[in-house]
Amino acid sequence: MDPKIASKWMEDAFALATEARGTTLPNPAVGCIVLDKAGKPVAKAATSKDGRPHAERKALDLAGSKASGGTLVVTLEPCVAFPGKKSPPCAAAAILSGIETVIVGTSDPNPHVAGRGIHALRKAGMKVVECPLEDRVPDFYAGFGRFLATGTPRVTVKIAVSSDGNVAAKPGQRTAITGAESRRFVHSLRSRSDAILVGGRTVLVDDPKLTVRDVAGRSPHRLVLWPSAGLPDTAQIWTNSARTTAFGIQERPAKLPSSVDWVRLPADGDHVDLAALVAWCGKQGMHDLLVEPGPTLLQSILAKEIWDDLWVLRSDAPLAGGVPADPRHLLPKETPQASRTLGPDQGRFWRQPNRLIPIPPLS
Ligand SMILES: NC(=O)c1ccc[n+]([C@@H]2O[C@H](COP(=O)([O-])OP(=O)(O)OC[C@H]3O[C@@H](n4cnc5c(N)ncnc54)[C@H](OP(=O)(O)O)[C@@H]3O)[C@@H](O)[C@H]2O)c1
């Protein structure tokens, strides 16, 4: 198949996976499309709620005999049998369906699968083509690998700063720092996350919605650290556009709207123990936690090294006399591992060494 056509179908399968993100935990969200012999789509599916049946099984069942001689487009390597596995293996289902070509977004970070699905397909005479959409598909599943290895999610931190390192013009003042392309990028980080965490003062000052709006995808579960000053019941994160959970070291505050879950966590000094919060996310089966901190939460995270990936989005304009993002100078001093131009802004990326499980290459 022409690589451009393969990429187009993978984009569609990836959109199905992104839309299902967060509903399939602890299983990963997978998107799948079956094309018939003539290249016409005959079935589309994503992993079911709570993880089963798998996307490939659903799409192949829907396609029936039309799959014969056709193509399976799937974001994650089809699974194989292994001890304790609850679902029937999808690689075997693909082989039995008469599919001839499989376009795969990435291999499976699950060490029980990790290339064995691809190997089984190739051994059965099927053509397997990799289509990672730059690195977006492997990145979508990288947190799943960390979750399987440690029981906790990948923690990605994003902070936007002015060219002179500030996050707001004045304390308590909502300030737009970066532009439209950075915002779209942040929304794409949200769409590949199961939950998004903010400090309570960000809610007081910015009153954010914390939803996915500028790109396609589901809004993640919103998590907020309850501040000592409390939060108004008019805050936008209480709206029902996504689920919200608030965390504190005390009993449930009387002011908290009844639709919002409350979780009391152990203390670390005067505040919630952030390691306990990340462990709680792991217990919910979450693979990816995005943190959008203000300076206070950022300093806590950097001091305790509770992060795996870090994005600093720097605008080209200064905010003289503003609120510094990093008063304790805890941001990494090393050269960033990657950078990205986002309109007038520059994104810089760091990854903690040896924390994420590398996804094995397909071939
Ligand atoms: N540029 C950006 O990317 C960006 C992103 C978000 C926010 N902001 C800006 O940052 C400012 C708000 O930041 P902020 O530093 O004042 O507050 P923050 O980091 O948003 O929230 C910190 C609050 O969360 C509570 N908290 C509970 N557990 C905590 C823990 N383990 N570690 C840290 N905090 C914990 C604390 O409440 P108590 O101390 O009251 O108990 C603390 O006041 C606003 O101006 C906002 O516009 C900028």
Side-chain angles (χ1 to χ4, degrees):
M1 182 184 288
D2 180 318
K4 274 199 187 138
I5 296 175
S7 292
K8 185 243 170 260
W9 287 119
M10 183 56 71
E11 288 285 3
D12 287 2
F14 191 47
L16 292 168
T18 306
E19 198 50 52
R21 176 109 211 181
T23 65
T24 65
L25 301 174
N27 283 357
V30 175
C32 183
I33 297 175
V34 177
L35 307 175
D36 67 10
K37 224 186 240 177
K40 203 170 119 262
V42 288
K44 296 184 180 189
T47 313
S48 300
K49 197 168 170 295
D50 301 326
R52 269 178 236 104
H54 288 182
E56 303 94 305
R57 171 74 50 177
K58 283 165 73 182
L60 288 167
D61 282 353
L62 275 172
S65 60
K66 291 180 186 155
S68 184
T71 300
L72 186 78
V73 184
V74 62
T75 54
L76 186 67
E77 171 182 14
C79 61
V80 289
F82 55 82
K85 186 175 187 310
K86 293 181 187 146
S87 311
C90 294
I95 293 165
L96 289 175
S97 71
I99 285 279
E100 282 185 1
T101 304
V102 181
I103 300 172
V104 185
T106 184
S107 55
D108 190 335
N110 184 341
H112 290 297
V113 182
R116 289 174 57 215
I118 305 288
H119 180 72
L121 300 175
R122 287 197 171 128
K123 212 169 142 204
M126 294 158 96
K127 187 174 176 204
V128 181
V129 182
E130 189 174 8
C131 187
L133 301 180
E134 302 87 43
D135 199 34
R136 283 181 288 137
V137 187
D139 182 59
F140 188 79
Y141 295 109
F144 175 48
R146 177 161 173 84
F147 169 77
L148 287 173
T150 64
T152 56
R154 162 172 58 176
V155 178
T156 301
V157 178
K158 158 263 140 187
I159 183 102
V161 300
S162 59
S163 62
D164 48 358
N166 294 321
V167 294
K170 284 190 205 146
Q173 182 174 317
R174 182 179 182 169
T175 312
I177 307 278
T178 43
E181 287 193 36
S182 290
R183 197 173 57 240
R184 240 188 326 277
F185 176 67
V186 172
H187 282 219
S188 75
L189 287 178
R190 289 179 182 178
S191 74
R192 59 126 239 224
S193 301
D194 303 307
I196 172 169
L197 172 69
V198 291
R201 281 211 300 267
T202 292
V203 175
L204 279 172
V205 175
D206 294 353
D207 193 18
K209 293 191 184 77
L210 299 179
T211 52
V212 173
R213 302 183 298 282
D214 288 9
V215 299
R218 280 184 91 254
S219 293
H221 187 155
R222 298 171 295 192
L223 313 180
V224 58
L225 292 162
W226 189 259
S228 46
L231 291 173
D233 53 14
T234 51
Q236 298 201 83
I237 55 161
W238 308 144
T239 58
N240 60 7
S241 47
R243 191 174 157 199
T244 308
T245 300
F247 297 85
I249 54 176
Q250 68 275 50
E251 293 295 336
R252 182 185 177 97
K255 280 172 78 173
L256 193 66
S258 57
S259 60
V260 178
D261 295 323
W262 174 258
V263 176
R264 187 177 179 180
L265 287 176
D268 177 12
D270 294 340
H271 285 132
V272 160
D273 178 350
L274 294 174
L277 191 152
V278 174
W280 178 89
C281 291
K283 287 208 183 83
Q284 312 307 304
M286 293 177 185
H287 308 163
D288 268 289
L289 171 66
L290 175 67
V291 190
E292 295 189 26
T296 310
L297 179 55
L298 178 70
Q299 298 300 288
S300 299
I301 285 171
L302 295 173
K304 299 272 173 189
E305 298 215 331
I306 301 186
W307 61 278
D308 300 298
D309 286 358
L310 168 68
W311 277 102
V312 177
L313 310 182
R314 191 173 286 271
S315 82
D316 62 347
L319 267 179
V323 179
D326 186 26
R328 291 166 61 195
H329 306 289
L330 298 175
L331 281 170
K333 317 280 179 296
E334 297 82 25
T335 310
Q337 278 106 317
S339 62
R340 191 174 174 139
T341 299
L342 298 159
D345 310 324
Q346 198 60 35
R348 292 188 182 132
F349 173 77
W350 289 264
R351 171 165 285 174
Q352 293 262 42
N354 307 324
R355 299 259 295 234
L356 289 186
I357 314 306
I359 295 188
L362 265 191
S363 46

